[in-house]
Amino acid sequence: MFTVVVAAAANFGIALAKAVAGVISGSSAMLSEAGHSVADTVTELLLLTALRRSERPADEDHPLGYGPARYIWALLASVATFVGGGVFALYDGIHALTHDREPGDPLISYLVLAVAFLLEAYSLRTGLRQAAGEARHRRVPVRRYLRHTPDTAVKAVVMEDSAALAGLVLAALGLLGGQLTGSGLWDGVASILIGLLLVYVAWVLGHSNTEFLIGRALPRAKRDALRRELLAVGPVEDVLELTTLVQGPHEILVAAKVDFRDASTAAEIETACEEAESRLRARLPSPGCPSRRVRRAGIRPC
């Protein structure tokens, strides 16, 4: 939550400064960067909504909770990045190329870009620190964690802040090219490159959230580990079916159809189900979350 709040506050201030600088300097790249920051601000607000909606407890109408709600709002956030940032930047860049205009004084734009770079770097540092902490807990590299994590809010902040820093560099190069050559060509090219970058980020985040909305299972290695845990329970003879579903960063649904030994009594089967649940909870800890949010395993005898 803190990571998203920091990113939203930084992007809002940056958007205003870029818009003013873009109008004063007449820079297409700066206006594209302003649109980029506005899109990022909307994205962060949608991510905050996603976090709040997904944390509501389960109720009678939603017995599995509201975890997947975060992916709906996060998907809308990726659409905001695509439309508000990518498409606007592409349009403005093409317009700058087809309507050549003389560059204005770039000084204020350079100052805004420098301040924006520092703020975006701080926001990215906050997101990377959170991602690194989660990666250490899971004993995986940070890059692998960001690629596969179900916490798409942190992934969105890291990707968008990284794209923001790259966009700032592109905008600065566009301004410098226009200043040295006196042509608006470089400014338009920078704007188009910023747009393409944002379209790519939006596609990656949209694809990631869509996967979880459709329903994504745990990785095969973890599924195999869960199967071994179930087979270690005394009366269990075989695991016929094992279904896992990621419902949020700290929520996993596990359902299994198992074959108990023929001589097992009702009391032994009941005890085995309790033991299986305990083993699964121990195998799938949920850091920073109450144990009730790790869904009860469904064990169905064959």
Side-chain angles (χ1 to χ4, degrees):
M1 182 76 74
F2 176 72
T3 300
V4 179
V5 171
V6 169
N11 283 319
F12 180 72
I14 291 171
L16 294 177
K18 286 178 180 176
V20 173
V23 171
I24 293 176
S25 65
S27 169
S28 174
M30 283 301 297
L31 291 176
S32 296
E33 274 297 300
H36 178 182
S37 294
V38 169
D40 282 353
T41 302
V42 174
T43 295
E44 309 307 340
L45 294 176
L46 288 172
L47 291 177
L48 285 173
T49 302
L51 294 175
R52 292 181 65 87
R53 293 291 182 91
S54 65
E55 289 175 352
R56 288 186 293 176
D59 52 40
E60 186 176 350
D61 294 328
H62 301 85
L64 297 180
Y66 293 82
R70 74 168 51 222
Y71 301 122
I72 297 175
W73 289 94
L75 181 61
L76 293 176
S78 66
V79 173
T81 299
F82 176 80
V83 177
V87 173
F88 174 77
L90 287 172
Y91 168 78
D92 203 48
I94 294 172
H95 183 271
L97 291 179
T98 55
H99 298 76
D100 192 24
R101 56 194 177 196
E102 186 178 347
D105 185 3
L107 177 59
I108 187 171
S109 294
Y110 284 132
L111 293 175
V112 169
L113 288 175
V115 173
F117 194 92
L118 294 176
L119 292 175
E120 293 286 6
Y122 175 75
S123 179
L124 177 60
R125 175 177 173 270
T126 303
L128 285 175
R129 288 182 64 180
Q130 180 175 345
E134 294 288 344
R136 281 195 302 271
H137 182 87
R138 290 166 173 76
R139 298 177 183 177
V140 296
V142 176
R143 290 184 62 182
R144 182 179 175 186
Y145 169 78
L146 288 173
R147 188 178 303 146
H148 300 289
T149 178
D151 193 349
T152 54
V154 172
K155 183 175 183 176
V157 169
V158 171
M159 286 199 67
E160 288 173 358
D161 286 343
S162 299
L165 291 176
L168 293 171
V169 172
L170 289 172
L173 292 175
L175 288 170
L176 181 61
Q179 187 179 9
L180 295 177
T181 64
S183 170
L185 173 67
W186 297 98
D187 195 47
V189 171
S191 183
I192 291 175
L193 291 177
I194 291 170
L196 292 175
L197 177 64
L198 291 177
V199 168
Y200 171 74
V201 170
W203 181 85
V204 171
L205 294 177
H207 177 72
S208 178
N209 286 291
T210 300
E211 269 197 335
F212 288 108
L213 281 174
I214 294 173
R216 183 165 134 183
L218 288 173
R220 181 175 297 276
K222 288 190 176 181
R223 297 200 301 270
D224 291 341
L226 296 183
R227 190 181 298 272
R228 288 193 296 270
E229 290 292 339
L230 292 173
L231 289 173
V233 178
V236 175
E237 192 169 75
D238 193 15
V239 178
L240 304 178
E241 294 178 12
L242 178 64
T243 301
T244 63
L245 182 64
V246 177
Q247 296 207 245
H250 307 291
E251 298 185 38
I252 301 167
L253 176 67
V254 181
K257 180 180 178 182
V258 303
D259 186 11
F260 290 101
R261 293 189 174 86
D262 295 336
S264 301
T265 64
E268 289 174 336
I269 291 176
E270 183 179 355
T271 302
C273 289
E274 294 295 332
E275 181 183 348
E277 180 182 352
S278 298
R279 283 179 171 272
L280 295 183
R281 286 182 182 275
R283 172 61 69 170
L284 295 171
S286 184
C289 246
S291 60
R292 63 179 174 83
R293 297 193 64 187
V294 181
R295 299 300 178 196
R296 180 183 179 92
I299 310 296
R300 183 159 66 92
C302 177

